[in-house]
Amino acid sequence: CSSDLPNLVVAAGKQLMLDTLLKGTSYSVVGPYLGLTKVSLTPAATDTMTTLVTTNAAEFINYTVGGSAVRGTAVFGSATSSGSTPSNVTTSTAAAITYTITGAGGTVYGCFLVTGPSASSTQGSTAGILYSEGNFSVAKTTTAGDTVSVTYSTTATS
């Protein structure tokens, strides 16, 4: 399953990005981890991992990555930039992560990215900072044994 999806970088994710990249202090980042969602999201800038996992009960957990029941680790390559006048677009893309569906399967609506010093790959964990969340353009109905491959890309435009 491959799909582009619009997603919202939440306030805490923006703060993490600016603190990490621009503040210049030693800041330990864990992850980032890419999880899947089982409901259609209505992203808000105030969303947190607690909002996503607990309040909205949105995390899809019927999967394994590499044989373990964990969120996938997003491994990003070097960012690339294009254009300079009047704007510049910088993109960073992670390698594809393959999720093997288990149990009863279900419908996968989208994904989220969690990072920060306390981020966890543990499914259902509210630890860490929710960087972004979004819905796929088309939800994917799955059954045990199916695979869903997700490639996460983020773009900053100035």
Side-chain angles (χ1 to χ4, degrees):
C1 175
S2 176
S3 179
D4 288 338
L5 68 134
N7 67 82
L8 174 74
V9 176
V10 300
K14 290 177 188 175
Q15 291 168 351
L16 172 69
M17 179 178 65
L18 294 175
D19 286 346
T20 303
L21 299 176
L22 301 178
K23 193 172 180 182
T25 61
S26 60
Y27 190 77
S28 175
V29 175
V30 177
Y33 302 111
L34 190 66
L36 302 177
T37 60
K38 65 179 181 180
V39 298
S40 181
L41 301 171
T42 304
T46 55
D47 285 349
T48 64
M49 284 303 295
T50 299
T51 307
L52 180 80
V53 174
T54 305
T55 306
N56 296 336
E59 187 169 7
F60 182 92
I61 60 171
N62 291 342
Y63 66 82
T64 60
V65 175
S68 298
V70 295
R71 296 170 179 153
T73 300
V75 179
F76 284 87
S78 297
T80 58
S81 295
S82 63
S84 60
T85 306
S87 63
N88 171 264
V89 177
T90 301
T91 302
S92 185
T93 302
I97 300 171
T98 300
Y99 300 84
T100 302
I101 306 304
T102 62
T107 302
V108 178
Y109 283 86
C111 63
F112 63 91
L113 194 69
V114 59
T115 191
S118 62
S120 175
S121 64
T122 302
Q123 294 173 338
S125 172
T126 59
I129 296 172
L130 177 64
Y131 176 77
S132 69
E133 59 187 331
N135 298 310
F136 297 140
S137 57
V138 176
K140 171 77 173 161
T141 302
T142 65
T143 59
D146 288 348
T147 60
V148 176
S149 181
V150 180
T151 301
Y152 183 93
S153 181
T154 187
T155 301
T157 304
S158 58

